[in-house]
Amino acid sequence: MATPVKKAENMKKHMTIAEREKREQAEQELERRFVRLIAPKRVKEDPAASAYWKSTIARMKGLTLLDNVDTDLLASYCLARAREDALRDDYEQLREKTEKTIDRTLKRVLEGYYEDNEYPAKVIRALVTDEMTLLKTLQAQERLVIAYQKELGLTPNGRQRLAKQRATERPVTEEDELYG
């Protein structure tokens, strides 16, 4: 994991005035006065991803976490959330189908419909295997979404770091300017 970048005002390292000015100038070149995140085409084409885009932007209003260059990361997050929803719907449908089929098959077994129990066991095993495969895919998608949330600062830890950083910021005094 890369070392987080520190702003010059938060650095405790002793720097000369020239070093500090050079660092602050470099930081100002990277800052944007106006940030406008525009959803990429692939997000606009997916209604669920577009809804996640809008809700995420609305929730992050006032937080200075994202920049214009973060649109691809945010787009990937929104698309991952949309895929997660689709997988969850597919899983619920398959689960209902599996339960109904197992109930119907067991009822037929008890009624003596099958001569041997090998066929019903194969059917049940195949359905449960399909369900477990889809569940594993869904869990992998959930882990991916959580990874995106961490990168975007949407987790409690990300917000806590931001609050801590803002709380420790103090105005630059005349003494700081004189003595660094």
Side-chain angles (χ1 to χ4, degrees), residues 102 105-106 108-109 114-126:
I102 288 174
T105 304
L106 291 177
R108 288 181 176 174
V109 166
Y114 300 107
E115 290 181 18
D116 63 355
N117 291 336
E118 190 173 316
Y119 174 74
K122 286 181 182 178
V123 170
I124 292 172
R125 192 175 307 117

Side-chain angles (χ1 to χ4, degrees), residues 27 41 51:
E27 287 176 9
K41 183 179 178 182

Side-chain angles (χ1 to χ4, degrees), residues 141-167:
Q141 189 68 27
E142 288 171 344
R143 285 190 298 273
L144 180 66
V145 167
I146 290 170
Y148 280 126
Q149 287 174 335
K150 287 178 182 177
E151 284 293 317
L152 290 167
L154 299 174
T155 60
N157 287 342
R159 291 190 302 276
Q160 182 182 12
R161 279 193 309 269
L162 179 64
K164 184 177 179 182
Q165 178 185 353
R166 287 184 178 169

Side-chain angles (χ1 to χ4, degrees), residues 36-44 49-50 53-54 57 71 75:
R36 183 166 181 220
L37 298 170
I38 300 172
K41 183 179 178 182
R42 65 183 195 264
V43 171
K44 290 179 183 177
S50 182
W53 177 277
K54 291 173 185 172
I57 295 294
T71 55

Side-chain angles (χ1 to χ4, degrees), residues 11-180:
M11 294 181 73
K12 297 189 180 353
K13 175 184 171 187
H14 184 71
M15 293 189 284
T16 64
I17 294 173
E19 288 174 329
R20 184 169 293 278
E21 287 174 355
K22 191 173 182 180
R23 177 70 182 233
E24 288 173 354
Q25 180 184 2
E27 287 176 9
Q28 287 177 352
E29 290 173 1
L30 291 176
E31 287 184 6
R32 298 190 196 272
R33 288 172 181 46
F34 180 72
V35 175
R36 183 166 181 220
L37 298 170
I38 300 172
K41 183 179 178 182
R42 65 183 195 264
V43 171
K44 290 179 183 177
E45 292 173 351
D46 186 344
S50 182
Y52 277 118
W53 177 277
K54 291 173 185 172
S55 70
T56 304
I57 295 294
R59 286 184 316 192
M60 295 185 77
K61 194 171 191 171
L63 297 177
T64 55
L65 292 177
L66 298 180
D67 195 356
N68 295 339
V69 296
D70 296 323
T71 55
D72 286 334
L73 181 63
L74 184 58
S76 296
Y77 165 72
C78 295
L79 289 166
R81 289 292 308 264
R83 278 192 299 267
E84 178 187 13
D85 287 349
L87 282 169
R88 184 166 278 111
D89 291 344
D90 291 348
Y91 176 73
E92 291 301 323
Q93 289 175 0
L94 182 61
R95 185 156 179 78
E96 288 176 18
K97 177 185 171 188
T98 301
E99 287 177 3
K100 288 178 184 177
T101 305
I102 288 174
D103 288 345
R104 187 174 57 243
T105 304
L106 291 177
K107 184 178 177 184
R108 288 181 176 174
V109 166
L110 293 174
E111 292 172 352
Y113 186 80
Y114 300 107
E115 290 181 18
D116 63 355
N117 291 336
E118 190 173 316
Y119 174 74
K122 286 181 182 178
V123 170
I124 292 172
R125 192 175 307 117
L127 287 170
V128 171
T129 302
D130 289 348
E131 184 179 326
M132 294 309 295
T133 302
L134 189 56
L135 180 62
K136 287 179 183 178
T137 305
L138 177 61
Q139 289 170 339
Q141 189 68 27
E142 288 171 344
R143 285 190 298 273
L144 180 66
V145 167
I146 290 170
Y148 280 126
Q149 287 174 335
K150 287 178 182 177
E151 284 293 317
L152 290 167
L154 299 174
T155 60
N157 287 342
R159 291 190 302 276
Q160 182 182 12
R161 279 193 309 269
L162 179 64
K164 184 177 179 182
Q165 178 185 353
R166 287 184 178 169
T168 58
E169 288 179 1
R170 60 182 178 86
V172 178
T173 63
E174 189 176 316
E175 293 169 345
D176 290 335
E177 290 180 5
L178 290 174
Y179 304 113

